[in-house]
Amino acid sequence: DKWLYAAIECLEYFPDQFIVMVSQQLPQSTNKPSSLNTYKKILFDIIIKYYSQKKDSLLATQDLDIHSGIIELIEKGKTDQALEASQLYLKLLAPNIREELHRLLTFIAIASESEGYKLQKQFDNRSVVIKTCTKFILQNKTLSKPQAELLTQFLMDNHSELFKTPLTLLELTGRRLESLLEGQDPDINSGFTFCQRVTTKEYEDQKQQTKQYLLALVQEIDNDPAIPLKQKKKLI
């Protein structure tokens, strides 16, 4: 059963007392279908209890700028870029944290399936999982609750791709290795740039537009009766 398997995979990162708690609560072996749901309820409750009492979320608070950047990409519908950014970010996490997050995301993705074990009678599984588990994955008072839940939902939905190496990184690494093997200095050409090259005509057009906009802005300030003369001179 993939549900039970994913839950048990999470337990590997739990302290011994939680493992003992699970073993004491689980009913003895039985073939009744109802027992399977009993197992699932106990395991889900134990996983929630363990992560609820942890002080720190799996994604570090100091990485807020990265989290905000990924959320912004998701909000703008740039899901491919958001996925690549997430993949690169997760590569920077400590291996044990990355693996624990991988197992937790796999588990909550399976637990959120509508046809699976019903977590709460009055709510659908997906809503329960996202609202319950967001604080385990990401705790940051700067982000709004919908933003944090959006990121959790994105990570959960893409859990099978998140922990793969981005293709662009593999290509850059490959080119760098080739240049090293050929005796070239790999630092001369990193293989990527933060700038976008434009033609000379595009540059001149943009420069002219900038001048026009600046002149228009100066004129607008000068003609605004609400701005004092001293402030106008300062702005201009």
Side-chain angles (χ1 to χ4, degrees), residues 1-224:
D1 184 289
K2 65 176 184 177
W3 201 108
L4 289 172
Y5 180 80
I8 292 167
E9 283 281 283
C10 290
L11 297 184
E12 192 173 329
Y13 283 86
F14 287 21
D16 290 344
Q17 64 265 32
F18 276 89
I19 307 301
V20 172
M21 198 185 303
V22 171
S23 64
Q24 288 173 342
Q25 290 185 36
L26 288 176
Q28 292 306 307
S29 181
T30 175
N31 294 324
K32 292 180 181 178
S34 59
S35 295
L36 199 61
N37 286 338
T38 304
Y39 293 154
K40 290 181 179 180
K41 176 172 172 40
I42 292 168
L43 287 167
F44 185 79
D45 290 347
I46 288 286
I47 289 170
I48 297 305
K49 184 176 181 179
Y50 170 68
Y51 282 107
S52 293
Q53 70 175 29
K54 286 187 76 175
K55 291 182 181 179
D56 300 321
S57 56
L58 288 169
L59 298 183
T61 308
Q62 61 262 32
D63 296 335
L64 172 64
D65 288 346
I66 299 174
H67 304 156
S68 299
I70 294 169
I71 290 167
E72 187 178 341
L73 288 170
I74 299 167
E75 289 174 335
K76 289 180 176 177
K78 299 179 179 180
T79 51
D80 289 345
Q81 288 174 267
L83 177 59
E84 187 171 318
S86 301
Q87 288 172 328
L88 290 169
Y89 168 56
L90 295 178
K91 283 284 181 188
L92 301 176
L93 297 181
N96 61 317
I97 298 295
R98 187 167 61 243
E99 180 58 27
E100 185 177 0
L101 179 64
H102 191 181
R103 294 185 187 203
L104 179 61
L105 288 173
T106 301
F107 170 66
I108 64 174
I110 293 169
S112 71
E113 292 173 359
S114 57
E115 66 275 12
Y117 166 67
K118 187 74 174 171
L119 300 172
Q120 291 182 15
K121 290 181 180 178
Q122 63 272 45
F123 301 108
D124 65 277
N125 286 349
R126 189 173 175 83
S127 300
V128 173
V129 164
I130 291 170
K131 291 190 179 299
T132 307
C133 300
T134 293
K135 56 182 177 289
F136 312 152
I137 296 168
L138 183 67
Q139 284 183 27
N140 202 301
K141 293 178 181 177
T142 311
L143 294 172
S144 67
K145 189 179 177 182
Q147 285 180 315
E149 289 181 352
L150 179 66
L151 182 57
T152 299
Q153 182 178 317
F154 179 79
L155 296 176
M156 184 180 77
D157 290 343
N158 293 279
H159 72 278
S160 59
E161 297 295 321
L162 275 179
F163 299 88
K164 295 178 181 178
T165 303
L167 186 60
T168 49
L169 181 59
L170 289 172
E171 289 173 349
L172 286 171
T173 307
R175 286 203 293 269
R176 195 174 178 87
L177 284 171
E178 281 180 18
S179 63
L180 281 168
L181 290 170
E182 291 171 2
Q184 299 174 12
D185 183 355
D187 294 324
I188 293 174
N189 182 12
S190 62
F192 64 91
T193 177
F194 293 102
C195 304
Q196 185 176 355
R197 186 178 292 277
V198 297
T199 64
T200 306
K201 185 180 183 306
E202 286 175 320
Y203 170 75
E204 291 298 334
D205 289 345
Q206 289 178 14
K207 186 167 75 171
Q208 190 60 36
Q209 283 179 355
T210 303
K211 286 181 180 178
Q212 289 171 0
Y213 290 139
L214 288 171
L215 286 170
L217 182 60
V218 168
Q219 194 169 9
E220 191 176 331
I221 293 168
D222 192 39
N223 294 336
D224 192 339

